[in-house]
Amino acid sequence: MSWIARLLPSGLRALIRRQVLAGDTVCCPICERGAIAYLPSGTPPRPHVLCPFCGSRERARMTWLFLQERKVLRSGLRVLHVAPERCLSERILGLPGVAYTAGDKFTPGYDYPVGTIDLDITAMPFADEAFDLILCSHVLEHVPDDRTAMKELHRVLAPGGTAILMVPIAPHGAATDEDPTVVDPQERIRRFGQFDHVRYYRCDYADRLRAAGFTVVEDPMADRLQPEAVFRYGLLRGEVVFAGLKSASTSAP
C-alpha cells in the first residue's frame, strides 16, 4: 500500500476501491459484487485469486457455491466454523436465526476475529450432534492427530448435517505422505507444501473420512462447470470440494 493510500481513512479507501474495481468481468458468488478482475494473492502471488470487495479466495467461493447448490443454507442453522474465513462468516451470520460458533487453535502472535474461541478439534467441548453445518477447510493438514479430529467432527455433526472438509490434495500418489518426525520448516515445505503442514493428503483422504463415519461427497466443481463460469466465479481447476455427510438415521458412536 502506498503512503498516500495509508493517509486515507479506511472507509474512503473502500469507496475508491469499489469505484475503481467495479465491473462485470467477474462476480464473486459470496458478496455478489461484480468486478473488473480478481486480485493476485499468495506466496508467490497467483493471478485471479482475491475478491477485491469481500476478500474471498477460490476455496471459499467453491464452498459457498456447493452449499447453495445442495440447498444447505437455511434459517436456524447451527454452524461451527473452524479457522473462520471472514467472507463466509459474514454471509452465514446474515442467515435468519443462525447459531454461529467460530473456533481456532490459538497461536501466539496471531489475531483472531472477535468472538472466536480457542478450539482443539481433537477434543471439542460440544455436545453430540450440536451442529447442522461444519466449515473446516484447509485445517486438517495442520493437525497431528487428524483421525481423532475427524471422529470429533463427525460426533458433533447432527444427523442429516454437512461438514465441508477441504484439504490440499497432492496431484499424484495413492497414500498420504506424513511423518511426525519432520519438524524442520524447510523440509515441511518440501514434503508437505507449507512450513506448518504435517502431511500432504493424497487419494486416500476420502477413506480417512469414511473411517470416521462420514459419507463422503467429492465435487470437482471447477472441472464440471463451463469454462466461462469457472473464470467468472474465480475457481481453481483441480481443487475438489470434500463434504462429509451424516446420515439422518445415524447417531454419534
Side-chain angles (χ1 to χ4, degrees):
M1 182 185 299
S2 72
W3 67 270
I4 296 176
R6 282 195 290 268
L7 293 175
L8 298 174
S10 60
L12 181 56
R13 289 201 303 269
L15 177 62
I16 293 172
R17 185 168 61 249
R18 286 195 295 269
Q19 293 295 326
V20 171
L21 296 175
D24 193 42
T25 304
V26 301
C27 184
C28 173
I30 299 178
C31 67
E32 299 179 345
R33 293 178 179 173
I36 58 175
Y38 294 112
L39 302 178
S41 184
T43 306
R46 295 179 291 110
H48 202 64
V49 173
L50 195 71
C51 172
F53 304 116
C54 72
S56 69
R57 290 174 169 80
E58 302 104 328
R59 64 177 179 259
R61 294 190 289 269
M62 290 180 75
T63 294
W64 191 254
L65 287 169
F66 180 89
L67 295 174
Q68 286 184 315
E69 287 186 357
R70 292 266 169 167
K71 303 188 186 307
V72 174
L73 301 168
R74 56 176 172 78
S75 62
L77 271 180
R78 299 171 297 165
V79 181
L80 173 62
H81 197 173
V82 182
E85 303 97 332
R86 180 179 60 84
C87 56
L88 289 175
S89 65
E90 289 178 350
R91 285 305 310 268
I92 290 168
L93 284 167
L95 296 173
V98 68
Y100 179 81
T101 302
D104 208 339
K105 185 68 172 176
F106 283 6
T107 302
Y110 286 83
D111 293 324
Y112 298 90
V114 175
T116 303
I117 64 171
D118 189 2
L119 182 65
D120 177 358
I121 63 170
T122 66
M124 291 190 282
F126 307 124
D128 295 351
E129 304 176 358
F131 300 100
D132 307 301
L133 172 63
I134 298 174
L135 302 178
C136 183
S137 288
H138 286 236
V139 171
L140 290 167
E141 68 273 15
H142 298 265
V143 180
D145 189 359
D146 66 329
R147 294 180 187 273
T148 295
M150 292 173 185
K151 291 177 181 177
E152 273 287 271
L153 291 164
H154 184 268
R155 177 184 68 81
V156 301
L157 185 65
T162 300
I164 302 297
L165 303 168
M166 295 170 68
V167 296
I169 301 288
H172 306 292
T176 291
D177 180 18
E178 59 186 336
D179 183 347
T181 67
V182 176
V183 295
D184 177 69
Q186 292 303 314
E187 181 62 9
R188 283 183 168 182
I189 291 172
R190 188 189 72 81
R191 286 270 301 270
F192 310 136
Q194 193 166 303
F195 77 94
D196 55 352
H197 289 184
V198 298
R199 67 183 57 81
Y200 208 160
Y201 289 107
R202 288 184 167 82
C203 294
D204 60 345
Y205 175 60
D207 293 333
R208 293 192 182 205
L209 295 176
R210 293 187 188 99
F214 289 106
T215 298
V216 180
V217 173
E218 300 178 48
D219 186 354
M221 182 178 292
D223 294 331
R224 65 174 172 81
L225 295 179
Q226 292 296 317
E228 295 81 3
V230 172
F231 179 84
R232 185 165 175 78
Y233 293 141
L235 307 183
L236 184 63
R237 289 202 177 277
E239 185 150 30
V240 176
V241 177
F242 283 89
L245 311 182
K246 190 169 182 178
S247 169
S249 61
T250 299
S251 296

